[in-house]
């Protein structure tokens, strides 16, 4: 998903028992950690790649990637994604596939 610097991202509940928790954000950006079933609004305050997960479903790679402006931290994001893959039980290629779409 792409967004512009200063945009807000709203996580809404469509299904119970999920949350959104960032695990990688650009330098100067604010990290977030929603509680299960909590609707949160996140301000994308720095340019670069953001990655987030649903904590209870991390092993199945319930993750998302947002590119804000230019992917200025792409090298670091690729490293983080590669390390993350080792923690997954299934859908192991999902995160790297998402990050590879950044340009
Ligand atoms: Cu979940």
């Amino acid at each position: 998903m792409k967004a512009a610097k200063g945009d807000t991202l709203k996580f809404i509940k469509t299904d119970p028992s999920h949350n959104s928790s960032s695990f990688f954000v650009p330098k100067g950006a604010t990290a977030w950690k929603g509680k299960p079933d909590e609707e949160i609004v996140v301000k994308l305050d720095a340019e670069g790649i953001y990655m987030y997960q649903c904590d209870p479903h991390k092993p199945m790679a319930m993750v998302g990637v947002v590119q804000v402006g230019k992917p200025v931290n792409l090298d670091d994001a690729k490293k983080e994604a590669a390390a993350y893959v080792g923690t997954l039980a299934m859908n192991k290629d999902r995160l790297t596939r998402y990050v590879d779409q950044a340009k």
Side-chain angles (χ1 to χ4, degrees):
M1 175 182 15
K2 286 194 176 178
K5 185 177 170 184
D7 280 355
T8 52
L9 186 58
K10 186 176 186 184
F11 292 92
I12 59 170
K13 179 185 165 183
T14 57
D15 203 32
S17 305
H18 303 284
N19 79 328
S20 172
S21 177
S22 62
F23 62 89
F24 179 87
V25 298
K27 205 173 171 191
T30 309
W32 66 88
K33 186 174 179 65
K35 297 186 189 82
D37 297 328
E38 184 185 15
E39 298 199 346
I40 57 169
V41 176
V42 172
K43 183 132 193 257
L44 302 167
D45 45 13
E47 206 170 52
I49 295 186
Y50 295 67
M51 296 190 262
Y52 58 92
Q53 65 186 25
C54 169
D55 292 324
H57 302 121
K58 173 183 171 172
M60 59 177 76
M62 193 174 281
V63 294
V65 176
V66 184
Q67 177 182 332
V68 175
K70 294 193 178 72
V72 293
N73 57 349
L74 184 57
D75 289 348
D76 285 344
K78 284 187 172 178
K79 280 182 209 151
E80 178 75 19
Y84 191 95
V85 166
T87 68
L88 300 174
M90 55 194 285
N91 301 317
K92 283 177 179 276
D93 66 330
R94 182 179 285 162
L95 182 61
T96 43
R97 233 179 334 111
Y98 289 170
V99 173
D100 284 345
Q101 290 173 22
K103 55 182 180 248

